[in-house]
Amino acid sequence: MIYTVTVNPALDYVLQLPEVKDGETNRSSDTQFLAGGKGINVSQILNQLGVDNTAWGFVGGFTGEELIRQLNVKKISSDFVRISDDTRVNVKIHAQEETEINAAGPDITDQEVAAFKSRLDDLEAGDVVVLSGSLAPSLPTDFYESLLPLIREKGAEFVVDTTGEALLRTLKFNPLVIKPNHHELADLFDTSFSSTADMLEAAKKLQKLGAQNVMISMAGEGAYLVTADHVYHANAATGTAVNSVGAGDSMIAGFVGTWFEKHDAAEGLRVGSACGGATAFTEDIAVKSQIDAVLPQIKIDVVE
Ligand SMILES: Nc1ncnc2c1ncn2[C@@H]1O[C@H](COP(=O)(O)OP(=O)(O)OP(=O)(O)O)[C@@H](O)[C@H]1O
Ligand SMILES: O=P(O)(O)OC[C@@]1(O)O[C@H](CO)[C@@H](O)[C@@H]1O
């Protein structure tokens, strides 16, 4: 089974308007509340790929109820810990450019955290846990890291979609894959890359520190994957990008879902690239028909 963990999910309040004028009353032409949060987005894509998964995390209040209602409508299996504080609302303004305002998130009590940790007792060898997104402010900054020994003791694999020092601290637990984008990868080494070779060298360093696979995403410029044996390149699909939210989550879902079913990392890169592209080309997280339409465009080259 694949479990996604969204400790700080959100209702994404998406507002469409032609332009935003600072300091004025702006009126939007269309609004939507969408169940969001990075792990939930991963679950949505896994469902579209027909890969069984369960969404874990914390939800509370009227916003949490709406989030669960939407997951049920989409037939996303979930087992969230109910908390007394409200799930956050993140504002996504789609105007002349995209602007996001992500709220900090709810207070989570020690008892609620303990209830969440007991979920990990259900893990079995071969399961994969995907931990994604920001931590609610009441959680310690090493919250993800604190779960990793428990996950590994069960024989399960994990992916933590995070950046910076928090990402580096997960490496010693051997994540199945890490997916920095090329900017995040450069930031990890406090540098900027002057060549692809430099960039791949940095990815290989992260692999030496413990990552089983390193996927470097480059938005409309495609992606690289460094595995134990090879370096692969995937082109980016061509299309009109209308959404910059969730492409990374979709790529992780495509990789993890494929790896879980086939243990084939290069195929994971191909499916992940198609899922990322399909989401970039749609207002919401991509659905199966959109992923299927993009998949034939993605070609994998063995670079090394
Ligand atoms: N404009 C695009 N055209 C084609 N493919 C894209 C585009 N944007 C993203 N993708 C695909 O999705 C993958 C992940 O995108 P990206 O590199 O933007 O991840 P990210 O920075 O984690 O994204 P985000 O944080 O916005 O979700 C890319 O490697 C590519 O395969
Ligand atoms: O505040 P975080 O947890 O970093 O990101 C949350 C979020 O921006 O990520 C998703 C897109 O990746 C959205 O659905 C959601 O609002």
Side-chain angles (χ1 to χ4, degrees):
M1 174 64 87
I2 300 177
Y3 296 92
T4 65
V5 177
T6 317
V7 294
N8 199 6
L11 276 185
D12 288 342
Y13 187 47
V14 185
L15 298 128
Q16 312 279 353
L17 60 171
E19 64 173 323
V20 176
K21 292 184 187 146
D22 287 348
E24 293 191 19
T25 300
N26 296 277
R27 295 189 190 276
S28 89
S29 48
D30 185 44
T31 59
Q32 266 182 302
F33 277 111
L34 300 173
K38 296 190 194 303
I40 286 174
N41 291 342
V42 171
S43 274
Q44 296 203 50
I45 290 284
L46 288 172
N47 260 33
Q48 295 300 317
L49 297 175
V51 180
D52 272 355
N53 72 97
T54 297
W56 280 344
F58 301 92
V59 291
F62 68 104
T63 42
E65 288 309 318
E66 171 58 13
L67 192 144
I68 294 295
R69 188 192 70 77
Q70 290 196 18
L71 295 190
N72 290 340
V73 168
K74 291 185 173 179
K75 299 198 169 25
I76 293 173
S77 152
S78 67
D79 186 15
F80 281 81
V81 173
R82 303 298 171 129
I83 59 173
S84 52
D85 204 355
D86 295 330
T87 291
R88 63 185 170 151
V89 174
N90 287 347
V91 178
K92 313 284 174 180
I93 301 169
H94 290 192
Q96 65 273 45
E97 53 191 358
E98 287 181 28
T99 306
E100 300 182 51
I101 305 172
N102 285 6
D107 277 336
I108 300 174
T109 65
D110 290 347
Q111 290 95 317
E112 290 161 351
V113 168
F116 174 78
K117 286 191 174 168
S118 70
R119 297 284 196 279
L120 300 181
D121 294 340
D122 294 347
L123 288 175
E124 293 176 358
D127 287 344
V128 182
V129 184
V130 183
L131 306 122
S132 308
S134 65
L135 298 173
S138 57
L139 294 175
T141 50
D142 66 351
F143 182 72
Y144 285 149
E145 201 187 336
S146 74
L147 304 177
L148 302 182
L150 305 170
I151 294 170
R152 296 306 268 158
E153 272 163 28
K154 294 279 187 181
E157 301 284 351
F158 75 91
V159 179
V160 182
D161 185 11
T162 183
T163 56
E165 190 57 34
L167 176 66
L168 293 177
R169 288 204 305 257
T170 69
L171 297 180
K172 63 175 181 287
F173 298 99
N174 306 122
L176 171 63
V177 66
I178 57 174
K179 192 217 70 62
N181 64 37
H182 53 319
H183 305 297
E184 292 162 348
L185 181 60
D187 288 349
L188 278 176
F189 293 93
D190 202 14
T191 188
S192 58
F193 299 125
S194 49
S195 67
T196 301
D198 282 357
M199 186 176 75
L200 294 176
E201 211 43 56
K204 286 175 190 170
K205 281 185 188 153
L206 298 180
Q207 197 186 34
K208 284 208 181 74
L209 290 170
Q212 297 178 50
N213 298 286
V214 182
M215 205 153 48
I216 310 164
S217 70
M218 303 182 301
E221 292 162 51
Y224 283 92
L225 172 70
V226 179
T227 70
D229 307 314
H230 291 292
V231 176
Y232 300 96
H233 175 260
N235 62 313
T238 48
T240 307
V242 294
N243 166 32
S244 66
V245 176
D249 309 336
S250 301
M251 182 176 220
I252 286 175
F255 180 90
V256 170
T258 305
W259 185 90
F260 186 75
E261 296 207 315
K262 301 184 178 165
H263 283 78
D264 181 340
E267 179 63 3
L269 174 65
R270 192 174 79 92
V271 176
S273 299
C275 293
T279 287
F281 303 153
T282 178
E283 288 289 348
D284 193 1
I285 299 297
V287 295
K288 185 172 189 311
S289 57
Q290 292 162 327
I291 298 166
D292 288 345
V294 167
L295 199 51
Q297 287 190 37
I298 307 293
K299 301 280 176 274
I300 302 297
D301 293 316
V302 184
V303 179
E304 288 176 21

